[in-house]
C-alpha cells in the first residue's frame, strides 16, 4: 500500500489559515497570520522541521505518524473509560428473544473465535473505498490484545496468532471466569456447549467477587501501581496474563434496565468491567449488546468488521458448522487480595463513583428523516449534519468554536485518522445569514450548497493525507526530538499561538458513522467544559449522543434541541429547490 504522505509546507500553510479564520476575531486572525507566515518563511523553522520529518520517514518501513501516534495514546495518563475508550450499543431487534442470556454469550464467544480464525487464515474479505483497498493491519490487533498500565507510558501487548486453546474471559458479579472456546487442536467448541458451561455459572454463582477490574478506571499511573501490586502474587499474575491473552472480555451487565442506562453504563459503570481490554462486549439483561473499545490500536472504522460478523451470525438461520463435540471448560479465576490492594480497589471504586456523578450522557433518536432524504438534496449527509451542528452551536453559545471530526486515512499503509476541523467560513456565512434573518431561500440554498461542498472537499483532502493537524503534530514532535540539534532554543511560536491553540481545542469532539445496527454510541468530552458528540446517520433517522460534565448539562440539552431545530430548518431550505 502507499505510504502516508508528508504534505508540502505550502499546502499546510494556506489550509492552516483557512481553518483558523472562522474561530478568531479579526485582530486575533491578523496576529495568527503573522505567526503562521513567520513559521513557514523560507529557511525558517518549518523548513528545518520538515527536513527532519522526511529523514524520520525515510528510516521507517511503515507510516511516519504511527510511532508518534502510538506514543500519544500510550502516554495518556487520565482515566480510560471517560478519556480514551469509545462505546457502541447495538439494536438487538434481529435477534431479540431468540437466545437466553447464556446462549447469547455462547454464540458471541463462538463467533469471535470464528472471526479470529478467519483473520489467521487470511480469509477476511478485503475492504475497499470506491475501489481503493484499505489498510487492514488493525484486524490483527482486535483479539488477544490488551493495554498494560505502566508508569509514564503504557504498553500495548498482543499475543501471537494461535488457534489452539483460545479462551474468552467472562465477568459476572465481579467474578472472572476463563472459558475455553477452542481445544488443543484449534477446533472451535459449539456455541451450545459454551452456553451450557456459562449457564452453570449463572445458576451456581451467588457471591459478588472483589471488583478487581475497577483498577482499569484509575488514572494510568495509579493503575500501573495497582497492576504491580496485584502482580506480586503469582496467582494474580497468571490471571492478568489470562485476561491479556483472552480473545475478548465479555461482561454481564445486570444493572441496565433500558438502552439509555446501557449506554451510560458502558462508559460510566465500573462494576464488572475491564476497560484495558481492546474489545469488551457487554451483554445486558434484555439481551442488548454493547462494545467498549480501548482506542490504542483500533478505530471505529475497523471495529465494525467484528460487530458485523457477530451481528450477522446472531441473526443467521444457517446451522453452525460442528468442529468438535467436546465440552467447553470453565475455570473461575481466584484472586489473592492483599490489604494494600484492597485499599486501592476501594479508593478506585469511590473515585469512579464520583466520576460517574460528574458526567452527563444523553442519547436520542431523530426519526423525521435521515440520509436518504438528505442525499436527494444532492448534499452529503455528513456535511448536512455539520451545518446543522454549527447553527446549533452558535445558537447555544453565541460563537463558533472548534469542532473535531476524524477522517480515516486507511488508504495508506498503517493509516489511522486525520482531523478535519468542521468549522469553516462557508458554514459561518450560512449561520450568519440565518441569524441575521435572511428569508430568501435561493440565497440560503446557495450558501448551503457552498458550505456542503467545502465540507466534502476538506474531508477528501484529509482522506488523501493532506490535512493540517497530523502534519503540524509531526513537525512539533520533530522539535522535541531534534530542536536542540537544529539550534531551536524554544518551541516555535506557532505551537503556542492563541489562534492555533484555539483550533486545536476540541470544544465539540465528534465522530459519525452510518452503520444501521447501531442504536447509540458515546465517548467522553476531550477538553474541560467541552462535549463529546457521536452521531449515527441512518437512512431514515439520525442518532444524536452527547456527553459532557454535569456542569454543562443545560448547554448539552440546548445544543441537542437547537441541533434538531436546525436539521428541520435545513431540510426546509434543501427541499425548496
Amino acid at each position: 500500500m502507499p505510504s502516508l504522505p508528508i504534505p508540502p509546507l505550502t499546502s499546510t500553510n494556506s489550509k492552516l489559515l483557512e481553518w483558523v479564520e472562522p474561530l478568531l476575531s479579526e485582530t486575533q486572525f491578523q496576529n495568527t497570520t503573522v505567526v503562521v507566515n513567520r513559521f513557514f518563511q523560507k529557511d525558517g523553522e518549518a523548513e528545518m522541521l520538515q527536513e527532519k520529518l522526511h529523514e524520520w520517514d525515510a528510516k521507517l518501513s511503515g507510516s511516519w505518524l504511527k510511532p508518534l501516534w502510538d506514543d500519544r495514546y500510550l502516554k495518556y495518563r487520565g482515566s480510560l473509560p471517560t478519556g480514551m475508550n469509545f462505546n457502541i450499543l447495538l439494536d438487538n431487534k434481529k435477534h431479540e428473544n431468540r437466545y437466553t442470556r447464556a446462549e447469547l454469550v455462547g454464540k458471541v464467544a463462538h463467533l469471535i473465535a470464528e472471526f479470529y480464525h478467519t483473520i489467521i487464515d487470511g480469509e477476511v474479505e478485503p475492504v475497499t473505498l470506491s475501489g481503493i483497498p484499505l489498510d487492514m493491519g488493525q484486524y490483527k490487533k482486535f483479539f488477544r490484545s490488551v493495554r498494560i498500565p505502566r508508569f509514564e507510558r503504557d504498553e500495548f501487548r498482543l499475543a501471537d496468532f494461535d488457534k489452539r486453546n483460545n479462551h474468552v474471559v467472562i465477568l459476572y458479579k465481579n467474578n472472572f471466569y476463563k472459558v475455553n472456546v477452542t481445544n488443543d487442536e484449534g477446533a472451535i467448541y459449539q456455541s451450545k456447549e459454551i452456553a451450557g458451561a456459562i449457564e452453570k455459572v449463572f445458576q451456581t454463582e451467588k457471591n459478588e467477587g472483589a471488583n478487581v477490574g475497577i483498577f482499569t478506571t484509575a488514572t494510568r499511573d495509579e493503575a500501573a501501581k495497582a497492576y504491580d501490586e496485584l502482580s506480586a502474587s503469582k496467582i494474580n499474575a497468571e490471571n492478568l496474563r489470562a485476561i491479556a491473552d483472552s480473545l475478548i472480555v465479555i461482561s454481564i451487565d445486570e444493572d441496565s434496565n433500558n438502552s439509555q442506562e446501557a449506554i451510560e453504563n458502558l462508559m460510566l459503570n465500573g462494576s464488572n468491567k475491564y476497560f484495558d481490554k481492546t474489545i469488551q462486549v457487554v451483554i445486558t439483561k434484555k439481551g442488548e449488546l454493547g462494545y467498549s473499545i480501548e482506542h490504542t490500536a483500533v478505530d471505529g472504522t475497523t471495529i465494525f468488521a467484528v460487530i458485523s460478523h457477530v451481528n450477522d451470525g446472531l441473526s443467521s438461520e444457517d446451522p453452525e458448522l460442528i468442529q468438535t463435540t467436546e465440552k467447553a471448560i470453565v475455570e473461575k479465576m481466584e484472586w489473592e487480595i492483599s490489604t494494600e490492594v484492597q485499599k486501592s480497589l476501594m479508593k478506585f471504586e469511590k473515585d469512579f463513583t464520583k466520576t460517574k456523578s460528574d458526567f452527563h450522557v444523553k442519547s436520542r433518536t431523530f426519526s423525521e428523516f435521515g440520509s436518504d432524504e438528505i442525499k436527494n438534496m444532492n448534499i452529503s449527509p455528513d456535511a448536512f449534519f455539520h451545518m446543522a451542528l454549527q447553527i446549533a452551536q452558535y445558537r447555544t453559545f453565541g460563537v463558533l468554536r472548534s469542532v473535531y471530526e476524524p477522517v480515516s486515512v486507511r488508504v495508506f499503509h498503517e493509516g489511522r485518522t486525520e482531523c478535519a476541523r468542521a468549522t469553516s467560513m462557508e458554514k459561518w456565512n450560512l449561520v450568519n445569514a440565518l441569524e441575521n434573518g435572511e428569508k430568501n431561500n435561493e440565497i440560503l440554498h446557495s450558501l448551503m450548497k457552498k458550505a456542503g461542498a467545502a465540507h466534502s472537499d476538506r474531508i477528501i483532502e484529509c482522506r488523501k493525507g493532506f490535512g493540517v493537524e497530523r502534519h503540524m503534530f509531526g513537525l512539533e514532535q520533530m522539535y522535541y526530538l531534534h530542536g536542540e540539534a537544529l539550534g531551536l532554543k524554544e518551541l516555535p511560536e506557532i505551537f503556542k499561538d492563541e489562534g492555533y491553540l484555539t483550533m486545536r481545542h476540541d470544544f465539540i469532539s465528534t465522530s459519525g458513522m452510518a452503520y444501521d445496527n447501531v442504536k447509540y454510541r458515546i465517548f467522553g468530552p476531550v477538553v474541560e467544559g467541552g462535549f463529546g458528540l457521536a452521531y449515527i446517520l441512518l437512512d431514515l433517522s439520525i442518532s444524536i449522543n452527547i456527553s459532557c460534565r454535569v456542569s454543562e448539562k443545560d448547554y448539552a440539552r440546548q445544543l441537542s434541541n437547537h441541533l434538531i431545530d436546525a436539521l428541520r430548518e435545513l431540510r426546509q431550505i434543501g427541499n425548496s429547490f
Side-chain angles (χ1 to χ4, degrees):
M1 298 191 74
S3 297
L4 183 70
I6 296 172
L9 292 175
T10 50
S11 165
T12 301
N13 184 359
S14 60
K15 285 176 185 167
L16 180 52
L17 288 171
E18 180 189 316
W19 290 24
V20 299
E21 188 175 3
L23 306 170
L24 307 178
S25 68
E26 198 172 321
T27 304
Q28 284 177 318
F29 182 63
Q30 287 171 354
N31 293 340
T32 295
T33 300
V34 171
V35 173
V36 168
N37 290 338
R38 192 180 295 139
F39 177 68
F40 285 101
Q41 70 189 3
K42 186 169 173 52
D43 300 324
E45 295 166 328
E47 285 192 7
M48 288 190 277
L49 296 171
Q50 178 87 333
E51 189 178 335
K52 285 297 178 187
L53 192 56
H54 278 291
E55 288 174 13
W56 169 270
D57 184 32
K59 291 175 191 170
L60 299 171
S61 57
S63 162
W64 63 264
L65 182 58
K66 184 183 182 302
L68 304 173
W69 206 241
D70 287 350
D71 261 6
R72 190 171 182 190
Y73 277 116
L74 294 170
K75 287 182 176 178
Y76 173 75
R77 298 291 85 196
S79 170
L80 291 188
T82 55
M84 186 61 68
N85 293 20
F86 60 93
N87 308 280
I88 298 161
L89 184 72
L90 301 182
D91 194 320
N92 66 344
K93 283 201 288 280
K94 288 186 180 176
H95 65 263
E96 196 173 14
N97 303 321
R98 187 172 173 183
Y99 305 100
T100 66
R101 193 163 50 165
E103 286 170 344
L104 193 53
V105 176
K107 193 73 179 169
V108 169
H110 179 94
L111 289 164
I112 289 292
E114 189 177 78
F115 194 55
Y116 180 57
H117 286 199
T118 307
I119 293 169
I120 291 176
D121 293 337
E123 293 177 354
V124 178
E125 187 108 6
V127 181
T128 61
L129 178 69
S130 303
I132 302 169
L134 301 185
D135 182 90
M136 296 175 69
Q138 290 181 36
Y139 284 49
K140 296 176 180 178
K141 299 170 185 174
F142 288 153
F143 308 117
R144 303 191 73 203
S145 58
V146 74
R147 178 171 173 151
I148 306 285
R150 304 270 31 110
F151 294 99
E152 296 185 3
R153 184 187 189 275
D154 288 355
E155 170 193 344
F156 180 76
R157 185 179 294 169
L158 178 66
D160 293 338
F161 270 176
D162 198 336
K163 293 183 179 182
R164 298 167 300 172
N165 299 315
N166 279 316
H167 63 276
V168 297
V169 168
I170 311 291
L171 284 87
Y172 178 61
K173 294 185 182 294
N174 284 323
N175 297 296
F176 288 68
Y177 298 87
K178 181 181 173 183
V179 184
N180 281 27
V181 294
T182 64
N183 65 13
D184 54 13
E185 293 178 350
I188 304 173
Y189 295 127
Q190 294 176 72
S191 60
K192 69 176 185 180
E193 296 299 340
I194 302 170
I198 300 294
E199 186 58 47
K200 285 179 187 169
V201 170
F202 290 166
Q203 296 294 336
T204 58
E205 185 59 79
K206 305 299 178 194
N207 298 322
E208 285 283 331
N211 188 10
V212 176
I214 193 69
F215 86 86
T216 64
T217 67
T219 59
R220 298 313 288 172
D221 285 348
E222 284 185 308
K225 184 171 182 286
Y227 186 91
D228 288 347
E229 287 172 354
L230 279 165
S231 300
S233 154
K234 187 182 176 186
I235 289 172
N236 293 347
E238 286 172 359
N239 288 346
L240 292 167
R241 171 59 79 170
I243 295 166
D245 289 349
S246 66
L247 291 171
I248 62 169
V249 162
I250 301 177
S251 165
I252 309 303
D253 171 7
E254 298 201 294
D255 295 327
S256 302
N257 297 303
N258 54 54
S259 299
Q260 178 62 38
E261 288 181 11
I263 192 67
E264 286 176 24
N265 285 330
L266 270 169
M267 184 171 94
L268 295 172
N269 190 327
S271 277
N272 216 46
K273 301 276 175 55
Y274 201 88
F275 290 103
D276 287 13
K277 192 68 180 164
T278 302
I279 299 178
Q280 177 173 217
V281 177
V282 178
I283 298 177
T284 71
K285 289 184 283 191
K286 295 198 168 187
E288 288 185 302
L289 256 67
Y291 286 75
S292 177
I293 309 298
E294 199 284 301
H295 213 334
T296 298
V298 299
D299 297 314
T301 55
T302 50
I303 206 67
F304 277 95
V306 179
I307 292 173
S308 295
H309 183 81
V310 171
N311 270 7
D312 291 347
L314 290 176
S315 57
S316 173
E317 300 294 337
D318 295 338
E320 197 172 277
L321 181 67
I322 298 173
Q323 298 184 17
T324 177
T325 56
E326 291 175 52
K327 301 285 184 191
I329 302 161
V330 176
E331 177 191 340
K332 186 174 182 180
M333 296 158 68
E334 302 292 349
W335 298 87
E336 290 184 344
I337 307 295
S338 66
T339 306
E340 196 174 10
V341 167
Q342 182 63 41
K343 279 182 187 173
S344 295
L345 297 182
M346 287 171 67
K347 178 189 180 298
F348 300 149
E349 288 264 19
K350 188 177 175 183
D351 289 350
F352 203 63
T353 300
K354 183 179 183 304
T355 295
K356 182 170 184 176
S357 69
D358 280 347
F359 278 85
H360 170 72
V361 171
K362 187 62 181 173
S363 297
R364 65 195 292 187
T365 302
F366 175 74
S367 303
E368 293 176 28
F369 65 94
S371 291
D372 282 353
E373 189 171 329
I374 299 168
K375 287 173 188 172
N376 287 336
M377 301 174 203
N378 291 319
I379 292 177
S380 145
D382 189 68
F384 187 94
F385 180 86
H386 274 281
M387 281 187 265
L389 178 58
Q390 294 295 358
I391 296 165
Q393 181 185 191
Y394 188 83
R395 288 173 181 171
T396 305
F397 304 105
V399 67
L400 295 190
R401 294 186 194 163
S402 199
V403 175
Y404 178 97
E405 181 179 10
V407 178
S408 173
V409 289
R410 285 176 58 209
V411 294
F412 302 106
H413 177 47
E414 296 184 335
R416 295 285 301 264
T417 61
E418 176 56 272
C419 163
R421 291 291 164 182
T423 312
S424 67
M425 285 306 293
E426 291 83 0
K427 291 196 191 83
W428 166 240
N429 291 337
L430 173 63
V431 171
N432 199 31
L434 286 167
E435 295 312 289
N436 284 327
E438 179 61 65
K439 301 295 182 189
N440 187 317
N441 266 356
E442 197 170 331
I443 293 171
L444 293 172
H445 187 257
S446 173
L447 291 170
M448 241 179 100
K449 296 293 281 187
K450 285 175 184 172
H455 182 95
S456 296
D457 288 347
R458 188 174 291 187
I459 296 288
I460 290 165
E461 280 292 290
C462 287
R463 202 173 279 149
K464 290 177 180 175
F466 293 104
V468 168
E469 291 210 26
R470 303 302 184 248
H471 186 203
M472 291 297 290
F473 172 72
L475 295 175
E476 186 177 1
Q477 295 310 302
M478 290 306 104
Y479 163 77
Y480 292 120
L481 291 170
H482 304 291
E484 196 174 329
L486 291 170
L488 299 176
K489 293 178 181 175
E490 58 179 290
L491 183 68
E493 186 183 8
I494 181 66
F495 300 113
K496 299 177 281 188
D497 175 71
E498 183 184 359
Y500 177 73
L501 294 176
T502 298
M503 182 192 75
R504 291 288 312 279
H505 187 75
D506 302 326
F507 181 63
I508 303 177
S509 182
T510 73
S511 181
M513 63 173 57
Y515 187 77
D516 64 359
N517 276 98
V518 176
K519 190 168 192 176
Y520 297 139
R521 186 170 175 234
I522 205 71
F523 51 87
V526 176
V527 298
E528 197 65 39
F531 302 83
L533 198 164
Y535 58 100
I536 306 157
L537 298 165
L538 302 181
D539 292 346
L540 302 173
S541 64
I542 301 170
S543 175
I544 300 164
N545 311 266
I546 300 180
S547 72
C548 62
R549 297 281 184 171
V550 166
S551 55
E552 315 300 328
K553 180 179 175 180
D554 288 344
Y555 283 126
R557 179 182 52 78
Q558 290 175 45
L559 184 65
S560 180
N561 290 339
H562 284 317
L563 180 53
I564 283 171
D565 289 343
L567 289 168
R568 291 173 179 146
E569 216 169 317
L570 291 176
R571 177 199 203 184
Q572 198 170 354
I573 298 165
N575 282 336
S576 62
F577 285 83

